[in-house]
Amino acid sequence: MSREVGAPDPRQALGRDGEAAAETALQGAGMRILARRFRNRSGEIDLVALDGSVIVFVEVKTRLSTSRGRPGEAVGARKRARMAKVAQAFLSRQGLDRAPCRFDVVEVVRVEGRLETRHVPDAFRLGLWR
């Protein structure tokens, strides 16, 4: 399956829509967004938010369905390790080396034309992902 040169990639559009839905859900839960798509040589973190006094590094996983499992199941050990490196760089750059932080996952699934979100706070520590 190929696309025309210059044609938008539907997966990228879905990912952007998912990140926007995740951001809205987090803000609705009272979190403040500090950064979007923070990246360095080690990788990227989709969203960085503030939940009270806790810095939250958020991985957003968006899928068209759950036919192959929950979207968050795609967050494996390598992704978690890369996120930890990027998070460390973010904290250092902001002078927040001692700030409490956690890693959340927001799953976004398209259901009957609309995006549904599921926020999993502290997902890495809870061991919900491989």
Side-chain angles (χ1 to χ4, degrees), residues 61-122:
K61 284 295 181 189
T62 307
R63 298 289 184 266
L64 291 172
S65 75
T66 58
S67 64
R68 292 187 171 173
R70 301 284 324 165
E73 292 172 2
V75 182
R78 280 187 16 205
K79 178 63 176 179
R80 290 192 309 269
R82 275 196 312 269
M83 283 184 69
K85 279 181 140 178
V86 178
Q88 192 171 36
F90 178 89
L91 292 170
S92 180
R93 188 177 292 174
Q94 301 298 320
L96 299 169
D97 295 307
R98 296 188 177 275
C101 64
R102 70 173 194 248
F103 294 87
D104 292 6
V105 171
V106 175
E107 297 180 317
V108 182
V109 179
R110 187 175 300 279
V111 177
E112 297 178 5
R114 68 182 197 289
L115 297 176
E116 292 187 358
T117 61
R118 177 178 175 241
H119 177 206
V120 183
D122 216 2

Side-chain angles (χ1 to χ4, degrees), residues 39-44 82 86:
R39 66 178 68 185
N40 69 6
R41 291 189 323 246
S42 298
E44 176 180 282
R82 275 196 312 269
V86 178

